[in-house]
Amino acid sequence: MELKRVVVTGLGAITPLGNDVDTTWAAAVEGKSGAGPITHFDASKFKTQFACEVKGYNPNDHFDRKKARQLDLYAQYALVAARQAVADSGIENAENLDRNRVGVIVAAGIGGLHTFEEEAGYYAKNEERGPMYNPFFIPKMIADIASGHVSMEYHFHGPNYGVVSACASSNNAIIDAFNLIRLGKADAIVTGGAEAAIFPAGVGGFNSMHALSTRNDSPETASRPFSASRDGFVIGEGSVVLVLEELEHAKARGAKIYAEVAGGGMSADAHHITATHPEGLGAILSMNNALEDAGMKPEDIDYINVHGTSTPVGDISEVKAIVEVFGDHAHKLNISSTKSMTGHLLGATGAMEAMFSILAIRDGVVPPTINHEEGDNDENIDYTLNFTFNKAQHRDVRAALSNSFGFGGHNATVILKRYEE
């Protein structure tokens, strides 16, 4: 069976750097931080009092009151980004579009955490009344509901589900969409991820694990991947959605093409519930699987958007894995962690970084890893690699590899490349 080619024809985003793709990308290239004091709740008693929140967002600008009441914030973000991506692709108005062959796969690592927290709190305060829950509690909370809402809005009847693999979730969603299209099961799939966990349970839960940075005196410099002074990740929120489409289907309707999806790789660390394998064994397998799937060699890759969360152990293991997979070529490609600017969007992070990889290919610009201070050293990290610290670098990017790793040992790698006939 001949596999079909899959291209990206639409992008949408609402992120800590901007409420659309262009604003987000411009801020990333400029090296802006999206971090600041938490405004979603009073975090004054928490160890971490800052995050990378979406800014200037009002649900009333996007939904009527009835619809907004049915949507957890994560699903609202997903719908906003999906609307942008679908409009950008033009697929909704395509002539003779077979909506039975257009699917939706939108991932979330956690889903409606705020809804769960609100309902649990309400019951605790009113326990004497008995179990009185909002009828929208379950449909607002579940991690697959964003996909359902997107499909209902556009009447897309193709494959429809959510993917949950912690911080690898949206990379897994992209890989699933890619495979369904190239196997001929769908003509197009709206895919990506969404997350909104900057609430007491999210921040407090990660604080209890000592996973978050506590640099409260300087939030904008707190996310510092590959710096010796890194002390944990910065939690972020938002959504990025891509429209993936079978090449001939896209060409037939005259769609613009951002890039081609070349391959995807997955693996498990099978090591620890939260920590990555110290030698990066799962990351090595995931990247090698992606290269094999794409029919590419290590030297075909020009840029790696790393998982790079700014945790002491995770950053080291990923660098070890890159050196193992790419050998001498590891010193010739560019490496950056855009989480230094966006924070960690958990289940939405893979889609965010796939978007950055696509735009790096389009514009020939590698976004930076900000907050790296001169003199920072870590004997476990090879600083002779081209980390693209603090300032964007112009270079021809033919192909980019994007890594996402999640609690539970989930690893997912996506390779995107310049579209050529």
Side-chain angles (χ1 to χ4, degrees):
M1 176 182 177
E2 184 178 353
L3 297 176
K4 299 177 183 296
R5 294 173 68 183
V6 181
V7 293
V8 180
T9 59
L11 297 173
I14 178 167
T15 78
L17 297 182
N19 293 353
D20 56 50
V21 173
D22 290 343
T23 307
T24 297
W25 177 236
V29 171
E30 292 175 24
K32 291 184 177 180
S33 171
I38 290 172
T39 65
H40 288 339
F41 68 96
D42 180 5
S44 59
K45 294 182 180 179
F46 285 70
K47 292 179 182 177
T48 297
Q49 298 165 13
F50 62 93
C52 286
E53 295 180 334
V54 169
K55 295 143 186 89
Y57 173 75
N58 185 339
N60 296 326
D61 294 338
H62 303 277
F63 309 101
D64 62 40
R65 178 179 291 185
K66 181 179 179 181
K67 184 71 171 179
R69 289 181 59 227
Q70 298 175 10
L71 297 168
D72 183 86
L73 184 58
Y74 101 94
Q76 292 181 28
Y77 289 158
L79 268 169
V80 170
R83 288 170 177 175
Q84 293 178 22
V86 170
D88 185 40
S89 74
I91 194 168
E92 182 191 11
N93 299 316
E95 188 176 352
N96 300 320
L97 178 67
D98 185 351
R99 293 174 187 265
N100 292 336
R101 292 185 55 80
V102 181
V104 183
I105 306 174
V106 177
I110 297 177
L113 182 65
H114 184 45
T115 295
F116 185 87
E117 192 173 65
E118 281 189 321
E119 290 298 318
Y122 175 82
Y123 179 60
K125 292 177 182 177
N126 299 277
E127 190 173 358
E128 69 280 359
R129 300 183 186 179
M132 296 174 60
Y133 287 94
N134 186 319
F136 292 117
F137 171 36
I138 298 300
K140 281 179 70 175
M141 177 197 71
I142 51 180
D144 69 304
I145 202 66
S147 285
H149 280 293
V150 174
S151 70
M152 286 182 277
E153 178 148 324
Y154 292 103
H155 303 287
F156 292 155
H157 297 285
N160 181 266
Y161 56 94
V163 175
V164 179
S165 52
C167 303
S169 296
S170 50
N171 258 12
N172 278 127
I174 291 169
I175 292 169
D176 278 10
F178 168 59
N179 283 328
L180 286 168
I181 295 169
R182 69 173 173 171
L183 289 170
K185 304 297 184 182
D187 294 329
I189 295 183
V190 180
T191 188
E195 207 76 90
I198 306 174
F199 294 101
V203 175
F206 283 119
N207 266 159
S208 70
M209 298 169 55
H210 306 287
L212 296 181
S213 170
T214 56
R215 197 179 289 266
N216 294 312
D217 58 339
S218 184
E220 67 280 358
T221 68
S223 184
R224 45 182 56 214
F226 310 115
S227 288
S229 56
R230 63 195 183 279
D231 69 331
F233 73 83
V234 178
I235 190 170
E237 65 175 357
S239 176
V240 172
V241 171
L242 300 76
V243 175
L244 268 54
E245 193 167 350
E246 192 273 322
L247 174 60
E248 297 305 320
H249 187 272
K251 288 169 64 177
R253 66 181 187 86
K256 70 174 178 297
I257 295 174
Y258 282 100
E260 182 171 359
V261 184
M266 296 171 283
S267 72
D269 279 350
H271 168 69
H272 189 272
I273 56 172
T274 58
T276 56
H277 191 283
E279 300 303 316
L281 296 187
I284 291 167
L285 182 58
S286 183
M287 287 187 280
N288 278 331
N289 285 344
L291 288 166
E292 181 180 1
D293 189 48
M296 298 173 74
K297 297 174 289 188
E299 53 267 32
D300 294 327
I301 303 297
D302 296 311
Y303 169 50
I304 299 179
N305 189 303
V306 292
H307 187 58
T309 59
S310 189
T311 58
V313 176
D315 290 2
I316 293 169
S317 64
E318 188 170 10
V319 171
K320 287 181 178 180
I322 289 169
V323 171
E324 175 65 26
V325 171
F326 289 90
D328 291 341
H329 185 64
H331 294 83
K332 300 175 183 177
L333 49 76
N334 281 70
I335 297 169
S336 72
S337 172
T338 45
K339 288 185 182 72
S340 59
M341 298 173 284
T342 67
H344 191 356
L345 273 66
L346 309 177
T349 201
M352 165 86 80
E353 289 152 16
M355 178 184 74
F356 285 147
S357 299
I358 290 164
L359 297 173
I361 292 168
R362 185 193 69 178
D363 294 350
V365 179
V366 173
T369 301
I370 65 169
N371 299 327
H372 184 78
E373 298 175 347
E374 281 189 56
D376 273 352
N377 284 299
D378 188 318
E379 63 183 10
N380 294 297
I381 294 179
D382 182 357
Y383 284 102
T384 65
L385 299 176
N386 187 358
F387 280 103
T388 321
F389 284 135
N390 297 323
K391 187 176 181 180
Q393 182 175 329
H394 291 268
R395 74 165 289 169
D396 183 37
V397 181
R398 300 163 301 164
L401 179 149
S402 179
N403 281 328
S404 288
F405 311 136
F407 285 177
H410 313 301
N411 306 301
T413 299
V414 172
I415 297 178
L416 300 133
K417 67 180 182 180
R418 180 182 298 150
Y419 166 67
E420 296 175 348
E421 284 288 347

